[in-house]
Amino acid sequence: MHQISHQVSRRALFGACGAAAVAALAGCGDDDDPDKGQDYTGHRDGAMDGYGAGQQFTATQPLTFSIMMLSNAGYPYKADWLFFKELTKRTNVTLQATVVPGSDYNQKRSVVVAAGDAPMIIPKTYHPDEEAYIAGGAILPISDHLDLLPNFRDQVARWNLQSDLDGFRQEDGKFYLLPGLHEDVWADYSLAVRTDVLQQLNLQVPKTWEDLRTVLRAMKAAHPDVYPLSDRWSTPANPGGNNLLSIVGTAYGVQAGWTYQHARWDETAKAFGYTGASPQYKQMVEYLNSLVTEKLVDPESFTQSDDIAKQKFANGRSFVISCNAQTLVNELRPSIAKIPGATVLKIPTPTGPMGDTKAGTRLEGGVMISAKARDSKNFVALMQFMDWLYYSPQGKLFAKWGVEGTTYTGNVDDGTFKLAADVNWGGLNPTGTKNLQVEYGFLNGVFVYGGTTKLLNSQFPKEELAFQEVMNARKNQPLPPPRPLNADEREQATLWETTLKDHVNQQTLKFILGSRPLSEWDAYVTELKGKNMTRYIEVVNAAYNRYKKNHG
């Protein structure tokens, strides 16, 4: 599961990108300007002269860079992967890996960074995890060195990612994490619906949440002993129908469920308010409560284990369940194969009061660079290497799909791309006997972040492409402005957030299930105030106003 989980112009930021000039990259801190020119004397060994966007990076001498390497249980690390051999062949760089099992990764990262023993390259970091390391000076303020990252700057400018990137900035106006950059918001999680049941009842795929209510009512009328929607992805640590709240919340303009954000930007008031106390959050709760009251949604949806939820769907005891592209193909579809004529489809997420929109950031997890790297004689070469591998079109294609003629053929941009005859991944080539990740090391989460919509779409079968086409046509909901907290504020806010979120989760569940009447909403808001909600929002708004004043 992703966590998912997430303005503007102050100065134009230009720099040579090979033959092309980079368009203005607005919304950046004062230190982002490449024209200011950092002094890299003594740190250029192995670097290319005139390196620019779209150019192949090849170090002028053999170099070795240390990297913290997560070993995924699904494709455990192998030193002899073709990925590493071909990377060295193309770039003249060898990666020296500190290999860490995925289950230990976050803890190990914290230990080595705090001890000052971190490798130069620290991938698989999700904002705001990097904030824990800023005060100690262990990680590089990467925004100080954008002059060395022409592909990164080019994408930020062309895809207008300034506002997204501003959300990563700290109180000093700098950002410390190199995120994956997406051309568009990538929507994946939605609802899976038994389409054979829709056909039997002469129903259309629901387009809005009210349409869904109509569908569920018809299903209930035809099958009185069934809860039409019985959901998954509640956890003991975070009960409450995490995906369902998230996608319904989007329709009402709030981040809820596993995308919950405490602070919600109010464009009319030009200030932040508390999400869990907002009218929009209440409307979302009222909608879900009405489905439970009508017995259209299984009350156990908000507490049951995944296995139980999937079992109900497999046995025809429910017809609608949360899913994403992979769980649809790998879990749900095989599970209903024993039901004669059963078919299931991942539907575009229903819409609501926010209209035909989708929510989310176009940034994803990324890479921290150890502050010690700045002292290396190879620092410029390291930055050029990172820029090529993570942000150039050639580097992204290589990291994702490998070597043309060996692991794939064709072209992503013109739609001729396909995996080699003996290679498979994600069911794209079921007859392939060699797994792209396991055998070759490509499509590894350590190296594959973001990219163009066409590159993203190259990993999807036709069915998922149809879903993506609908979602990509939707307008992105605007992102909130930056409101970075300083270290003292963050420490205090974290304590408040824990208490507030626990109460929001508990009471949201009670309201939805009807064990607490919605007539007590005002009393619930008063309870949140007693848990420092007002003080929390005051701190957030003070941080917003401070940042706006200083970085304007």
Side-chain angles (χ1 to χ4, degrees):
M1 293 177 287
H2 56 264
Q3 295 190 359
I4 327 113
S5 97
H6 332 286
Q7 231 257 39
V8 177
S9 170
R10 283 175 301 282
R11 68 165 65 225
L13 199 166
F14 295 93
C17 277
V22 178
L25 192 167
C28 299
D30 292 344
D31 294 317
D32 288 6
D33 189 350
D35 285 345
K36 289 175 69 174
Q38 297 275 347
D39 182 7
Y40 297 115
T41 305
H43 303 283
R44 294 183 174 273
D45 286 14
M48 291 175 61
D49 292 333
Y51 168 73
Q55 218 176 328
Q56 173 64 50
F57 167 75
T58 306
T60 59
Q61 65 189 59
L63 298 176
T64 299
F65 296 133
S66 57
I67 185 169
M68 191 164 174
M69 183 80 198
L70 182 147
S71 182
N72 191 299
Y75 45 97
Y77 167 83
K78 295 178 184 175
D80 62 350
W81 270 333
L82 177 61
F83 171 85
F84 293 119
K85 295 175 183 176
E86 186 70 20
L87 183 68
T88 300
K89 179 180 173 182
R90 297 188 186 196
T91 65
N92 213 10
V93 169
T94 300
L95 290 177
Q96 180 183 11
T98 298
V99 181
V100 183
S103 57
D104 300 331
Y105 191 80
N106 288 356
Q107 182 181 3
K108 176 75 170 178
R109 182 186 62 202
S110 296
V111 170
V112 297
V113 173
D117 297 329
M120 283 190 178
I121 304 168
I122 313 164
K124 297 296 286 184
T125 300
Y126 293 87
H127 179 74
D129 289 356
E130 80 278 11
E131 293 177 352
Y133 312 116
I134 293 172
I139 58 172
L140 192 73
I142 197 66
S143 56
D144 285 355
H145 305 287
L146 298 187
D147 52 322
L148 303 178
L149 303 172
N151 284 291
F152 177 88
R153 297 199 317 270
D154 178 59
Q155 284 179 11
V156 170
R158 283 191 294 110
W159 297 345
N160 195 25
L161 287 163
Q162 301 94 327
S163 296
D164 300 67
L165 202 55
D166 278 351
F168 278 40
R169 294 184 184 278
Q170 303 302 311
E171 190 191 13
D172 58 9
K174 302 179 182 184
F175 58 91
Y176 292 74
L177 179 69
L178 265 179
L181 307 177
H182 282 276
E183 185 177 3
D184 199 356
V185 171
W186 175 22
D188 185 12
Y189 287 69
S190 187
L191 295 175
V193 178
R194 280 275 301 277
T195 43
D196 60 311
V197 177
L198 292 182
Q199 290 164 3
Q200 290 165 12
L201 300 175
N202 198 27
L203 298 168
Q204 301 297 312
V205 170
K207 293 185 177 180
T208 69
W209 288 103
E210 285 307 317
D211 290 345
L212 181 72
R213 184 199 302 277
T214 300
V215 164
L216 296 177
R217 281 174 173 167
M219 289 175 166
K220 183 71 175 179
H223 304 274
D225 59 336
V226 163
Y227 284 110
L229 195 165
S230 186
D231 213 16
R232 65 185 303 185
W233 286 326
S234 290
T235 64
N238 192 10
N242 295 308
N243 180 60
L244 189 59
L245 263 70
S246 179
I247 57 178
V248 177
T250 295
Y252 286 90
V254 291
Q255 290 181 283
W258 58 31
T259 59
Y260 185 76
Q261 293 288 323
H262 292 271
R264 178 184 182 275
W265 177 248
D266 185 329
E267 182 60 31
T268 303
K270 299 293 183 187
F272 285 93
Y274 192 74
T275 297
S278 67
Q280 294 81 2
Y281 193 88
K282 182 184 181 185
Q283 289 167 6
M284 175 201 72
V285 169
E286 287 172 335
Y287 171 79
L288 289 168
N289 167 259
S290 72
L291 297 186
V292 171
T293 300
E294 288 192 55
K295 296 184 168 35
L296 305 178
V297 169
D298 184 354
E300 294 180 1
S301 294
F302 304 92
T303 53
Q304 68 191 356
S305 71
D306 258 23
D307 286 342
I308 292 174
K310 289 187 292 183
Q311 190 176 57
K312 289 178 180 178
F313 191 79
N315 293 337
R317 303 294 300 171
S318 68
F319 305 127
V320 183
I321 189 172
S322 283
C323 78
N324 61 22
Q326 290 195 0
T327 57
L328 174 74
V329 174
N330 298 333
E331 297 177 1
L332 301 182
R333 197 157 277 155
S335 77
I336 60 169
K338 65 178 183 291
I339 302 176
T343 53
V344 60
L345 178 73
K346 184 176 83 163
I347 67 169
T349 52
T351 58
M354 293 296 291
D356 209 18
T357 61
K358 61 182 184 290
T361 176
R362 291 175 292 165
L363 308 185
E364 64 172 309
V367 185
M368 297 187 297
I369 303 295
S370 169
K372 293 190 298 185
R374 183 64 179 88
D375 300 326
S376 167
K377 63 182 181 180
N378 307 125
F379 176 67
V380 173
L382 170 66
M383 293 292 99
Q384 292 177 349
F385 169 75
M386 295 292 293
D387 181 68
W388 179 83
L389 178 58
Y390 286 96
Y391 300 103
S392 76
Q394 309 97 310
K396 284 179 177 296
L397 180 63
F398 163 72
K400 187 158 193 162
W401 293 126
V403 181
E404 186 175 7
T406 301
T407 56
Y408 76 93
T409 60
N411 188 297
V412 164
D413 291 330
D414 65 13
T416 60
F417 165 84
K418 62 180 181 179
L419 289 173
D422 60 344
V423 177
N424 186 29
W425 177 84
L428 284 185
N429 182 26
T431 59
T433 56
K434 298 176 181 176
N435 184 290
L436 183 71
Q437 293 171 312
V438 175
E439 301 292 335
Y440 297 101
F442 296 107
L443 243 169
N444 189 311
V446 172
F447 302 107
V448 175
Y449 302 103
T452 63
T453 298
K454 284 185 175 180
L455 182 63
L456 177 66
N457 285 348
S458 66
Q459 74 188 54
F460 298 137
K462 289 182 180 180
E463 176 185 35
E464 179 62 17
L465 287 174
F467 172 88
Q468 292 296 327
E469 186 176 358
V470 173
M471 298 304 295
N472 286 336
R474 295 183 180 179
K475 185 179 178 182
N476 294 331
Q477 293 179 13
L479 293 169
R483 29 99 178 168
L485 307 181
N486 62 37
D488 290 341
E489 289 168 340
R490 193 180 304 120
E491 185 176 359
Q492 178 62 74
T494 300
L495 296 175
W496 288 339
E497 285 174 347
T498 301
T499 305
L500 285 166
K501 188 173 183 180
D502 284 347
H503 196 66
V504 169
N505 284 345
Q506 291 164 7
Q507 302 311 309
T508 297
L509 193 55
K510 288 182 178 180
F511 283 131
I512 290 172
L513 295 179
S515 61
R516 183 173 190 181
L518 280 157
S519 58
E520 293 186 15
W521 182 265
D522 289 346
Y524 152 72
V525 173
T526 300
E527 290 157 13
L528 290 175
K529 290 176 181 176
K531 298 180 187 300
N532 298 298
M533 177 187 78
T534 305
R535 293 174 66 195
Y536 174 82
I537 289 300
E538 286 173 351
V539 168
V540 169
N541 279 314
Y544 157 69
N545 288 315
R546 181 177 64 224
Y547 186 92
K548 184 180 177 183
K549 177 182 177 182
N550 293 337
H551 304 286

